[in-house]
Amino acid sequence: MVNHCGLLSARKEPVPLKSVEVEVEVRDHVATVVSTLYYENKEDKPLEAVFVFPLPGDAAVCHFSATLGQTQIIAEVKEKQEAREDYDDALSSGLEAFLLEESEQSPDIFSLSVGSLQPGESASIRLEYVTELNVQADSGLRFCLPAVLNPRYQPQDSASGNVQVTSCPASLVPYTLSFSAQVSSPRPVSKIESNCSLDPLQYLNSEQTKATIKLAAGHKFDRDVELLIYYKDAHQPTAVVEAGQASAELGTLMGDPVVMLSLYPEFPQAVMSSVATCGEFVCLLDRSGSMGAAMNHSNRNETRISSARDTLLLLLKSLPMGSYFNIYSFGSSFESIFPKSVEYNQETMEKALKKVEEMQANLGGTEILKPLKHIYSQPCIPSQPRQLFVFTDGEVWNTKEIIDLVKRNSHAHRCFSFGIGEGASSALINGLAKEGGGHAQFILGSDRMQPKVMQSLRYALHPAVVNISVTWDLPKDVSATVLSPPITSLFQGQRSLIYAGLTGQISEAAEGCVTVKYSLAGHPSQNQLRFNLKPTEDSGLTVHRLAARALIRCLEMEDREPRQQQDDSVKKKVVELSVQSGVSSAFTAFIAVNKGNGKAIQGPLERRNVPAPSEYFIDTLIKNMAANIIEKSRALRFRKTKKKKTKSFKPSLFSWKGKKQKVVQSDVPETSPLPTMDPLLHLVSLQKASGCWDLSPALATALGKTSEELKKPKPASVNMEIWATVLSLIWLHGFKMDVREEWELLAMKAVSWLRAQNSSDLNECVDAGNALLGCNVTKDSLGF
């Protein structure tokens, strides 16, 4: 169950966390993040503060320390139960202690316990982690500082044991945030963008390879802080060889050099310009109550669920004829439009769109495991590769169990995941895509969901890369031990990382070569990267810690497999590696005890839960409930309007029941204004499954003309559908090139349909269409 708490404790006393200071150092595509949390106990009794907060799911936490007055205590990594016992023993002895541990359910949630803080005493907690930056569809590198921690939904009948998330409205968080980042790369930094207000970018050298950026004054700490970093020539493969730790033994991960290879595969243009004409496309849409929240702070009218509905419209219109599809939605229960995937055609597309238009954020909690199990229980369709698209705001509690399920079924599908809104679990969204051989996208702030989803659909429509192998060519006395999981998917323009430990005698001029071989569309291909083996000395063990994190995550996944349930050997390996590298894991924790002054603290210990900022809180829930009522009325009137024009269709909705929240309904006066449909979506909604358009009054409205104006210039020898389709394509190219990525696939389908008509009058159509619409679009640019 979700546990909400406000700004004050039950005794109306303030929480002790005062401020958070974050400094980020980005080197190429790796970030080192140092967070300092300042606590102060203004009460007259000893205090224990508990702060539950988010971190990136793939972060390697590598340092934890506390400073009290002039005394600094550096935490050590211990087996989790041993660390907890040390913490409890310290508190029972009246000593000050600090405990940092990862949630057992999700690797992107940590809890920090500050124990026995004396009356009037201040403490600063320093937390350091390193993380890889993910490549976005537009080649930007994404860094996200999770500031918002939404409550993770837990079903009533599930086992307890997860951390209790306390939260309050983001605007009332009682602590402040300061944030700065320094960026450096071998290539110039072209720009840095953010969902938050930034001070101007400052370059630190004339080559523009170093820059610094800060949050503008007055940041409210009411959203995740996202940076998009753009380098010139970003898709260059790189290799970093890092020297081992001087104090560590040779033959261990920390003692030997480690190489990090960053590869960007290049695929033949002939393959990339074609798209598949088959596939089973399964969409899984979150309809929990939190999906009724606004997409961003500036536009409260666009909710997460409404944006998802618009996106499904574009996605459905872009599917190839002859493919198969189905749409599931989930909350506390789950539903599907069809009992099993059906062939994509005009009839099934119309049925699906009618049900999508009715979808609301009214299915209660966020239980994604059951619908996933049901989807995987459905037999795959021969010669139709399964592609799963998951849309969720990620407020789930059993992240590891979900990712394990996806991994067990990775041989039968590719999974593309989309994290919607502030606070979406990065561990869930990235984990789904990584283990499902797909691609992850995050939609924050003013981001539009549609282009990101269509980018992933393009990946899904390209042939899958199979038979991936990695071979090493190293000097005679040097060997490599791969520390990262095997590469399971490759996409054009997307980065693949390989970590490996190096052993043997490495000379100054020694070189190595890595070759990635794979098969694409039946043709064998390969990419190579040659690199110098000489280690760098000043990288601060960042590469070693990321490599340790990659290996720890592999072992943790292995430990959760059924055959390992009675075997503790994997857990022992994880604990040993975590302690050796100083990197956190699911089985270890950071513990620091202040034994300096030897004075025990007197008096009973008070516990304070520090609230994390949450987008989805009670006042938001009330507003969204009203918005859902209006949207429900809009959907009802949409169906009434459709009944007057088309044959009514009432498909049965196949539903698997679980615990469902009560839905509040209310009548809305017929005079309530309806939202105006976006012109692009209006035009797209009129396209047929085959790719063509009808010359209808609705199309005339979408193009800003009357029916007569549309019909009059039509060439006499051209039929209505060809003319309507040419006009629609001209309008798209003439007025919507700024969002081309959203309609490019459905336009390609329209062009394929036109080619199949073998019309000899397309030139005449294009000239007449340009004159009618006031455009200057060439036949070549249309793709004819």
Side-chain angles (χ1 to χ4, degrees):
M1 293 295 292
V2 172
N3 175 27
H4 291 290
C5 92
L7 174 63
L8 304 179
S9 70
R11 298 186 181 183
K12 306 298 182 184
E13 295 157 332
V15 296
L17 180 61
K18 295 301 178 183
S19 64
V20 180
E21 181 180 297
V22 180
E23 296 177 340
V24 182
E25 182 183 5
V26 177
R27 291 189 178 185
D28 206 7
H29 59 266
V30 171
T32 300
V33 184
V34 178
S35 297
T36 306
L37 295 83
Y38 295 93
Y39 288 84
E40 182 180 0
N41 182 8
K42 290 187 175 182
E43 302 183 30
D44 58 0
K45 59 183 76 65
L47 192 68
E48 180 187 19
V50 180
F51 182 39
V52 179
F53 59 97
L55 287 179
D58 55 357
V61 179
C62 52
H63 176 85
F64 176 52
S65 61
T67 302
L68 301 102
Q70 301 299 313
T71 304
Q72 183 185 39
I73 317 157
I74 298 177
E76 56 182 321
V77 179
K78 290 188 176 182
E79 190 276 327
K80 184 174 283 188
Q81 187 57 39
E82 181 184 353
R84 288 172 175 172
E85 290 174 359
D86 287 353
Y87 179 78
D88 291 340
D89 289 346
L91 264 57
S92 62
S93 301
L95 300 176
E96 294 166 320
F98 305 84
L99 179 71
L100 178 72
E101 56 183 321
E102 177 185 308
S103 163
E104 294 179 1
Q105 280 75 35
S106 183
D108 63 343
I109 299 178
F110 281 73
S111 62
L112 170 62
S113 300
V114 180
S116 291
L117 197 61
Q118 299 185 54
E121 187 173 46
S122 298
S124 64
I125 308 296
R126 180 184 170 95
L127 170 70
E128 181 177 335
Y129 65 86
V130 291
T131 185
E132 303 159 0
L133 304 187
N134 292 325
V135 182
Q136 301 302 288
D138 62 355
S139 301
L141 292 174
R142 179 180 185 267
F143 168 80
C144 183
L145 175 70
V148 173
L149 177 57
N150 291 331
R152 302 295 197 242
Y153 178 82
Q154 180 176 348
Q156 291 183 357
D157 56 354
S158 62
S160 60
N162 63 315
V163 293
Q164 286 295 305
V165 178
T166 59
S167 58
C168 71
S171 59
L172 297 180
V173 171
Y175 39 88
T176 60
L177 169 71
S178 65
F179 175 92
S180 63
Q182 182 168 312
V183 180
S184 62
S185 171
R187 298 171 295 280
V189 181
S190 57
K191 63 178 178 178
I192 298 178
E193 297 177 346
S194 178
N195 62 325
C196 304
S197 297
L198 300 174
D199 287 340
L201 179 67
Q202 293 185 348
Y203 290 104
L204 303 179
N205 59 5
S206 58
E207 294 83 9
Q208 297 187 345
T209 57
K210 293 185 178 181
T212 184
I213 198 77
K214 292 182 179 181
L215 277 180
H219 180 70
K220 299 292 186 183
F221 203 25
D222 58 353
R223 67 199 73 177
D224 293 349
V225 178
E226 181 186 57
L227 295 183
L228 294 174
I229 303 167
Y230 297 86
Y231 300 127
K232 293 180 181 177
D233 302 320
H235 286 185
Q236 294 296 316
T238 59
V240 177
V241 181
E242 184 178 75
Q245 191 173 18
S247 59
E249 291 184 26
L250 291 176
T252 64
L253 184 149
M254 299 304 291
D256 292 332
V258 170
V259 59
M260 176 176 64
L261 303 174
S262 177
L263 304 173
Y264 293 88
E266 291 292 333
F267 299 155
Q269 184 58 36
V271 175
M272 299 310 298
S273 61
S274 63
V275 294
T277 57
C278 61
E280 180 195 8
F281 300 89
V282 180
C283 297
L284 181 57
L285 175 64
D286 188 344
R287 287 175 56 194
S288 61
S290 53
M291 286 289 288
M295 280 293 293
N296 61 74
H297 299 269
S298 60
N299 182 10
R300 292 285 177 180
N301 292 325
E302 184 182 14
T303 61
R304 297 173 185 175
I305 190 69
S306 66
S307 182
R309 285 198 304 263
D310 292 344
T311 302
L312 285 176
L313 167 65
L314 282 169
L315 194 148
L316 283 173
K317 294 289 183 175
S318 302
L319 295 182
M321 288 289 285
S323 61
Y324 285 74
F325 79 103
N326 202 355
I327 299 175
Y328 291 78
S329 56
F330 69 95
S332 300
S333 60
F334 72 93
E335 305 171 348
S336 70
I337 292 178
F338 306 103
K340 61 180 181 179
S341 293
V342 296
E343 186 173 352
Y344 175 78
N345 54 41
Q346 185 65 23
E347 180 185 4
T348 55
M349 182 192 74
E350 286 183 354
K351 292 175 182 178
L353 286 174
K354 288 177 181 176
K355 298 309 300 182
V356 168
E357 180 65 26
E358 300 168 10
M359 288 182 176
Q360 307 296 326
N362 58 1
L363 290 186
T366 312
E367 297 184 40
I368 192 174
L369 193 63
K370 291 179 181 178
L372 275 176
K373 285 181 177 179
H374 176 80
I375 290 169
Y376 293 141
S377 72
Q378 302 294 302
C380 292
I381 302 170
S383 302
Q384 301 285 348
R386 179 173 287 171
Q387 318 277 2
L388 177 62
F389 290 75
V390 179
F391 303 85
T392 178
D393 56 14
E395 297 179 9
V396 302
W397 66 281
N398 53 346
T399 302
K400 293 179 181 178
E401 189 177 2
I402 293 166
I403 292 173
D404 289 347
L405 176 65
V406 172
K407 182 180 181 181
R408 290 197 299 273
N409 292 275
S410 60
H411 63 283
H413 80 303
R414 285 195 288 182
C415 182
F416 299 85
S417 54
F418 306 91
I420 305 170
E422 310 290 345
S425 168
S426 63
L428 175 69
I429 304 305
N430 287 325
L432 288 172
K434 184 176 182 180
E435 300 303 333
H439 185 247
Q441 302 265 25
F442 289 85
I443 300 101
L444 293 183
S446 58
D447 290 350
R448 282 176 60 81
M449 188 186 305
Q450 291 85 348
K452 296 194 174 187
V453 175
M454 299 313 291
Q455 173 68 56
S456 292
L457 179 58
R458 276 191 285 273
Y459 287 149
L461 287 170
H462 288 148
V465 175
V466 296
N467 302 324
I468 303 172
S469 65
V470 178
T471 56
W472 296 77
D473 182 9
L474 300 172
K476 183 179 178 181
D477 296 329
V478 180
S479 61
T481 302
V482 177
L483 304 171
S484 49
I487 299 174
T488 57
S489 61
L490 290 174
F491 296 103
Q492 175 76 14
Q494 293 301 296
R495 184 186 63 218
S496 296
L497 286 175
I498 301 174
Y499 295 97
L502 300 176
T503 55
Q505 295 296 318
I506 301 175
S507 64
E508 287 275 325
E511 283 194 348
C513 178
V514 165
T515 303
V516 180
K517 297 181 180 180
Y518 51 89
S519 180
L520 179 64
H523 300 288
S525 300
Q526 68 177 38
N527 292 121
Q528 283 188 337
L529 173 61
R530 296 187 178 276
F531 59 96
N532 192 299
L533 288 171
K534 181 182 177 181
T536 58
E537 302 290 340
D538 62 345
S539 53
L541 295 175
T542 299
V543 174
H544 279 74
R545 285 162 175 162
L546 287 172
R549 182 61 163 170
L551 184 54
I552 285 170
R553 284 293 181 235
C554 286
L555 291 170
E556 287 174 345
M557 290 286 288
E558 186 180 335
D559 180 76
R560 296 200 297 270
E561 292 179 3
R563 61 183 175 82
Q564 292 290 342
Q565 287 182 355
Q566 303 302 320
D567 186 1
D568 288 336
S569 61
V570 175
K571 180 179 177 180
K572 290 178 181 177
K573 287 181 185 177
V574 172
V575 171
E576 181 181 344
L577 181 59
S578 179
V579 171
Q580 178 198 137
S581 64
V583 171
S584 62
S585 75
F587 305 126
T588 55
F590 283 91
I591 175 69
V593 178
N594 182 20
K595 302 176 182 178
N597 56 24
K599 295 180 181 179
I601 298 170
Q602 304 297 319
L605 196 63
E606 294 289 330
R607 183 184 178 93
R608 299 284 182 269
N609 289 324
V610 181
S614 170
E615 274 289 289
Y616 182 53
F617 196 66
I618 298 300
D619 57 344
T620 307
L621 180 62
I622 295 170
K623 293 175 185 177
N624 291 334
M625 195 176 292
N628 287 343
I629 294 168
I630 294 173
E631 289 198 3
K632 183 177 283 292
S633 173
R634 173 178 176 268
L636 288 171
R637 269 182 284 157
F638 174 87
R639 293 203 302 275
K640 290 177 183 177
T641 304
K642 284 287 188 182
K643 286 178 181 178
K644 295 176 183 178
K645 297 179 180 179
T646 62
K647 184 177 178 181
S648 173
F649 172 78
K650 296 181 180 179
S652 58
L653 194 65
F654 298 87
S655 176
W656 291 261
K657 299 296 182 183
K659 292 181 176 64
K660 188 176 280 189
Q661 283 189 349
K662 211 170 186 179
V663 180
V664 179
Q665 299 186 8
S666 173
D667 293 327
V668 177
E670 285 296 321
T671 54
S672 296
L674 293 179
T676 303
M677 193 174 196
D678 177 87
L680 172 62
L681 294 178
H682 187 189
L683 181 71
V684 169
S685 69
L686 301 174
Q687 188 186 31
K688 290 185 175 182
S690 62
C692 70
W693 276 265
D694 279 331
L695 197 67
S696 63
L699 179 64
T701 302
L703 298 178
K705 302 292 180 181
T706 66
S707 295
E708 284 303 314
E709 287 175 324
L710 229 57
K711 293 177 182 177
K712 190 174 180 180
K714 182 185 77 68
S717 59
V718 173
N719 69 37
M720 297 288 193
E721 285 185 332
I722 291 177
W723 175 237
T725 304
V726 171
L727 286 176
S728 298
L729 288 171
I730 291 174
W731 186 89
L732 289 171
H733 283 81
F735 298 104
K736 292 296 177 181
M737 286 299 288
D738 58 327
V739 290
R740 180 172 184 167
E741 64 272 22
E742 298 185 27
W743 52 261
E744 190 170 27
L745 286 175
L746 60 90
M748 290 172 62
K749 188 162 67 166
V751 171
S752 296
W753 179 87
L754 281 170
R755 286 175 179 162
Q757 308 312 303
N758 293 318
S759 174
S760 60
D761 299 309
L762 289 182
N763 282 336
E764 188 180 355
C765 282
V766 172
D767 292 340
N770 276 322
L772 174 64
L773 298 176
C775 299
N776 189 25
V777 179
T778 66
K779 181 181 175 182
D780 289 342
S781 65
L782 291 173
F784 294 163

